[in-house]
Amino acid sequence: MKTYVITRANGWGSAAELDAAAAVSARIGNEEMSDRVRWIRSYVTRHEGGRLGTVCVYQATSPEAVREHARRVGMPADAVTEITDTVIIRPDPAQA
């Protein structure tokens, strides 16, 4: 599997909507597509008008598998970009 970053801008109107989508995403990834997609982590972003988006890190067999996963969940996948290397200056900050 390769590693991808997925941008989902303005995908949700509230944290509750995002939580519901995350539950469906985890279920579909773990139960229906575990041989093609692995969700690693997501960063939640706030956009104009207060809408929420995410920047997600996935491992997948292809960009098409990532897009199929998004379609099954019913969430956007605005951009799917392969990660070719990782440069860590500091670890992710502790969750607030």
Side-chain angles (χ1 to χ4, degrees), residues 87-91:
V87 178
I88 299 173
I89 304 303
R90 292 179 186 87

Side-chain angles (χ1 to χ4, degrees), residues 14-96:
S14 69
E17 287 179 11
L18 177 57
D19 289 346
V24 173
S25 178
R27 182 184 57 74
I28 289 174
N30 292 337
E31 296 175 11
E32 298 177 18
M33 298 183 72
S34 64
D35 60 331
R36 297 172 51 208
V37 173
R38 284 185 51 204
W39 180 15
I40 306 300
R41 73 169 41 101
S42 294
Y43 299 94
V44 179
T45 55
R46 185 167 309 279
H47 297 264
E48 201 171 304
R51 290 188 60 82
L52 300 175
T54 58
V55 177
C56 304
V57 178
Y58 276 68
Q59 289 182 319
T61 55
S62 67
E64 293 77 21
V66 172
R67 289 185 187 97
E68 179 182 342
H69 175 263
R71 277 192 301 276
R72 288 188 190 190
V73 174
M75 64 184 174
D78 302 320
V80 178
T81 307
E82 183 179 343
I83 296 173
T84 59
D85 199 1
T86 302
V87 178
I88 299 173
I89 304 303
R90 292 179 186 87
D92 285 346
Q95 191 172 7

